[in-house]
Amino acid sequence: MAQAQTKLEVTIEKLIYGGDGLARVDGQVALAPFVLPGERAEVEVVERKHGLLRTKLVEVREAAADRVIPPCPHFMRCGGCHYQHAAYEAQLALKRGILAETLRRVGKIELPAEIGVMAGEPWHYRNRVQLHIRGTELGYREARSNRLIAIAECPIASPRINEAIGTLREMLRDARWPRFVHSIEMFTNETESQLNVLETERPVARRFFDWCAEKMPGLVPGALDYRAAGEVYRVSGGSFFQVNRHLIEPMVEAALGGAQGEPALDLYAGVGLFSLPLAKRFAKVTGVESGSTAIRDLIFNAERAGTAVDARQSSVDAYLASLTTAPDFVLADPPRSGLGKIAVAHLARLRPARVTIVACDPATLARDLAGLMNAGYLIDGVTMVDLFPQTFHIEAIVRLRLI
């Protein structure tokens, strides 16, 4: 039997969610990273499974007009970025197309109008990064691997984060560094910073954090105060907060729009990024959050702001099940798994007049929207928010109204 080819020349039809380009070879689908639509490329097959070929890029034979030289020397090895080879305007157009195609394919949704795009600075935007440690090296992990890529700086991390990376690289060469710490997280508001130990073989002594504070001016010993959208948010270690420092305020404004009324509901409320601004527009706001650290931050932030937010520590499914009357407005910012069938069914039962979803996964968004539209909701508008430039990740704000 003839051995299957391992190297192929393909023409890329389109990009799909996840960062790969799609081509077709003898009735099979071939996926290749770091390519652009229309390009001819030589690829090498690394996996064959049920008519699907996963490949790695060998060489671009005919480049697209939108191809640019990636500024990061670790691109194509580091697992963090996927689109540095594409001009930024092309990235935005590709993501908008992927979002529309996913809504159509998964949810059978034909949008009534063109998807809007919200974008900011495409570099140095991340206010939070996770850094892995091996010996005296610090960096990110290689794509689909635990291998470490040592870095001196990161072009998508904020200036303050890059300062911290430089300091940490020096500290790793010091005998005082605890060798049992294997990963840390840095979070910053560009004035102060927070360091969280994520992976360690044993507890870290207080003197380590004191030493870090000596080496990194502005390092806070606990929670960090983050100013955004006209509010101040306490963010403790372990609490979620949006990572794109340039787009937090416009994203909040786009999600709330002109919403106002009596009761409003903020699902997956976190530390209150949406709850606090909602409290200025609605007579009563309830924030629902299951995380114990985040709910404490939400309560603290609401009290400090002098706003009346009713903070409920609960799963969204359980809280919605307890309701018998509909709020005027529901805002939901779910994780990648989306709202899910149970939450969608409860919203269909309650029938709030307006629902806005801030989604970070197009496929689960499509599923949730299909359920809500079957229950009588219409899409009023969709905005693709590019919270993660240079990556395949897509955030979307979808506004719905009850017919």
Side-chain angles (χ1 to χ4, degrees):
M1 181 181 292
Q3 187 175 8
Q5 280 185 285
T6 59
K7 288 190 178 180
L8 306 166
E9 186 169 305
V10 298
T11 299
I12 306 302
E13 294 182 13
K14 61 180 180 179
L15 294 194
I16 62 172
Y17 186 66
D20 286 334
L22 183 147
R24 299 181 194 276
V25 181
D26 298 329
Q28 300 180 96
V29 170
L31 300 181
F34 313 122
V35 292
L36 293 173
E39 290 188 329
R40 289 194 62 79
E42 182 182 2
V43 298
E44 184 175 355
V45 178
V46 296
E47 182 183 0
R48 299 174 185 269
K49 189 175 182 181
H50 306 305
L52 176 68
L53 307 178
R54 293 198 176 274
T55 73
K56 65 179 181 180
L57 178 64
V58 176
E59 180 186 7
V60 175
R61 297 283 178 83
E62 295 180 16
D66 292 320
R67 179 171 283 274
V68 297
I69 297 173
C72 179
H74 307 295
F75 182 63
M76 295 180 66
R77 287 186 59 229
C78 175
C81 289
H82 317 93
Y83 286 166
Q84 285 193 25
H85 62 297
Y88 189 52
E89 287 302 317
Q91 292 184 35
L92 296 175
L94 288 166
K95 288 185 178 183
R96 179 165 61 179
I98 290 168
L99 175 58
E101 191 274 336
T102 305
L103 294 178
R104 187 181 307 114
R105 175 175 50 83
V106 177
K108 306 297 185 290
I109 297 168
E110 293 293 339
L111 297 175
E114 187 176 39
I115 296 173
V117 173
M118 179 187 296
E121 291 294 323
W123 303 103
H124 302 297
Y125 63 85
R126 286 195 70 104
N127 59 28
R128 188 192 299 263
V129 298
Q130 293 183 8
L131 299 163
H132 301 278
I133 299 160
R134 184 185 63 201
T136 59
E137 293 184 323
L138 170 143
Y140 299 136
R141 285 185 176 149
E142 200 170 305
R144 294 179 291 278
S145 169
N146 286 326
R147 289 190 293 269
L148 184 83
I149 297 175
I151 65 168
E153 63 178 353
C154 173
I156 65 171
S158 77
R160 192 78 172 195
I161 293 286
N162 277 307
E163 286 179 21
I165 289 172
T167 301
L168 289 164
R169 291 177 74 232
E170 294 176 4
M171 295 173 69
L172 278 165
R173 294 190 287 269
D174 192 303
R176 288 174 287 178
W177 184 272
R179 300 300 162 191
F180 50 84
V181 172
H182 302 302
S183 69
I184 61 173
E185 177 186 73
M186 293 298 306
F187 176 52
T188 184
N189 59 18
E190 289 306 293
T191 301
E192 298 173 316
S193 300
Q194 180 187 84
L195 185 152
N196 301 308
V197 173
L198 300 180
E199 187 181 356
T200 181
E201 295 173 14
R202 58 181 185 268
V204 181
R206 177 80 267 166
R207 62 179 177 273
F208 168 72
F209 295 98
D210 293 340
W211 178 43
C212 290
E214 291 174 12
K215 301 294 287 184
M216 289 184 273
L219 191 71
V220 297
L224 180 78
D225 278 348
Y226 203 107
R227 294 182 179 274
E231 308 289 349
V232 181
Y233 300 91
R234 185 183 80 177
V235 184
S236 298
S239 290
F240 172 78
F241 201 74
Q242 296 292 349
V243 303
N244 190 314
R245 65 194 183 100
H246 302 303
L247 291 181
I248 296 173
E249 187 162 343
M251 184 183 70
V252 170
E253 185 58 37
L256 271 56
Q260 57 184 346
E262 291 298 316
L265 187 55
D266 182 12
L267 303 178
Y268 312 94
V271 303
L273 178 62
F274 297 107
S275 297
L276 270 60
L278 278 170
K280 294 179 177 179
R281 304 171 182 227
F282 287 83
K284 179 183 179 182
V285 173
T286 302
V288 181
E289 169 59 43
S290 62
S292 57
T293 302
I295 200 73
R296 287 194 295 270
D297 284 342
L298 171 56
I299 293 168
F300 178 89
N301 291 332
E303 289 178 349
R304 180 168 61 179
T307 57
V309 175
D310 180 14
R312 300 293 185 95
Q313 185 175 3
S314 169
S315 72
V316 164
D317 290 351
Y319 182 78
L320 290 176
S322 71
L323 295 183
T324 56
T325 58
D328 293 339
F329 177 71
V330 174
L331 188 143
D333 185 9
R336 296 197 186 284
S337 55
L339 285 168
K341 292 182 179 179
I342 295 174
V344 168
H346 283 303
L347 290 173
R349 171 181 61 84
L350 293 166
R351 297 175 65 79
R354 291 191 174 270
V355 176
T356 292
I357 302 175
V358 181
C360 57
D361 185 280
T364 57
L365 171 63
R367 179 202 64 198
D368 293 339
L369 289 177
L372 289 169
M373 293 174 75
N374 286 337
Y377 283 88
L378 286 178
I379 293 177
D380 250 355
V382 180
T383 302
M384 193 281 288
V385 185
D386 195 27
L387 287 184
F388 305 95
Q390 319 308 327
T391 81
F392 69 76
H393 298 291
I394 297 173
E395 196 92 0
I397 298 172
V398 183
R399 296 165 291 279
L400 303 109
R401 60 180 173 84
L402 191 63
I403 299 174

